[in-house]
Amino acid sequence: MNLSAFNSNQSQEVIELFTTVFSNSEGEKEGALIGKLVSELITTTDAQEILGFVATSQNKIIGCIFFSRLTFENNSNAFILSPVAVHTEHQGQGVGQQLITFGLEHLKENKVDLVFTYGDPKYYSKVGFTHVSEEHVKAPLTLTYPEGWLGQPLTGSTIKPISGASHCVKALSKQVYW
Ligand SMILES: CC(C)(COP(=O)(O)OP(=O)(O)OC[C@H]1O[C@@H](n2cnc3c(N)ncnc32)[C@H](O)[C@@H]1OP(=O)(O)O)[C@@H](O)C(=O)NCCC(=O)NCCS
């Protein structure tokens, strides 16, 4: 398996990967929704506001992850991890954790201080995320499942409370994802 930065000429393959993986795990409707999210993320996000990485094996993309900027009033340098998918046949073999770790290393190199995500605490705790209270750091939209609001510091040892609202990129800024 090889890990590398996402290139826009991989867009179609990556959209298909997310659509198929989420259709298999959560049904066709969710697959179509996440495929559309990825398509919008790729096409509507400024280059400085998004980072993507792919895992390839035998010239096929078997995993993909995107991070996009989360903006705070105090100018904290933060990104949000969303979404990530590993090809159904390659799940449970460590690809997801390697992709996440690879992405976090690149964010660190790019001097990003904080990373957030919204997902299953059991899974994301394996790669350094812990629960973040909204009293300390506000999510950009209303959370259906507040326990799933997670973060980790890439510089420093803790996430200090950040006052005020946060804003995600346009593609993620829809209540259906939260
Ligand atoms: C979630 C996902 C990205 C994980 O990638 P992966 O390569 O399968 O996971 P890894 O092999 O790196 O990690 C496996 C570990 O995580 C656990 N795990 C995997 N998916 C999990 C989930 N949804 N919830 C909780 N734990 C999970 C496994 O039990 C395993 O634990 P172990 O190491 O103690 O045995 C992948 O399974 C996937 O694409 N799922 C469908 C889409 C999805 O739910 N994406 C995440 C939301 S954006």
Side-chain angles (χ1 to χ4, degrees):
M1 195 215 8
N2 184 52
L3 296 166
S4 57
F6 164 78
N7 184 302
S8 60
N9 64 20
Q10 295 167 321
S11 297
Q12 203 48 45
E13 194 178 350
V14 156
I15 292 164
E16 280 164 22
L17 174 80
F18 277 97
T19 306
T20 307
V21 168
F22 278 84
S23 294
N24 291 344
S25 69
E26 289 169 57
E28 256 177 55
K29 205 174 152 209
E30 186 73 7
L33 185 72
I34 303 300
K36 187 159 174 268
L37 162 65
V38 171
S39 169
E40 287 185 4
L41 259 181
I42 293 169
T43 53
T44 67
T45 313
D46 285 350
Q48 315 90 287
E49 313 249 292
I50 187 165
L51 280 165
F53 303 95
V54 292
T56 48
S57 177
Q58 297 174 339
N59 284 328
K60 275 184 66 182
I61 296 176
I62 59 162
C64 182
I65 190 166
F66 286 101
F67 298 86
S68 55
R69 187 169 291 285
L70 191 64
T71 310
F72 291 93
E73 286 158 20
N74 75 349
N75 291 327
S76 290
N77 192 354
F79 271 67
I80 184 161
L81 181 176
S82 180
V84 54
V86 171
H87 191 290
T88 312
E89 283 167 22
H90 295 268
Q91 289 176 6
Q93 298 165 16
V95 176
Q97 288 175 63
Q98 287 180 63
L99 254 178
I100 295 170
T101 308
F102 187 75
L104 295 177
E105 285 302 321
H106 277 77
L107 291 177
K108 257 186 230 177
E109 282 167 20
N110 287 3
K111 310 278 182 239
V112 174
D113 295 317
L114 299 168
V115 182
F116 295 89
T117 194
Y118 181 48
D120 188 333
K122 268 197 249 145
Y123 182 68
Y124 287 106
S125 63
K126 291 176 193 292
V127 283
F129 286 89
T130 55
H131 177 248
V132 177
S133 162
E134 278 212 276
E135 284 172 19
H136 290 157
V137 184
K138 293 262 186 305
L141 281 91
T142 305
L143 301 178
T144 313
Y145 172 61
E147 295 78 16
W149 183 231
L150 311 170
Q152 69 171 291
L154 296 179
T155 56
S157 54
T158 55
I159 298 181
K160 298 198 180 75
I162 303 175
S163 62
S166 68
H167 299 278
C168 58
V169 299
K170 184 168 160 249
L172 280 174
S173 199
K174 288 187 184 148
Q175 193 54 56
V176 66
Y177 302 128
W178 300 85

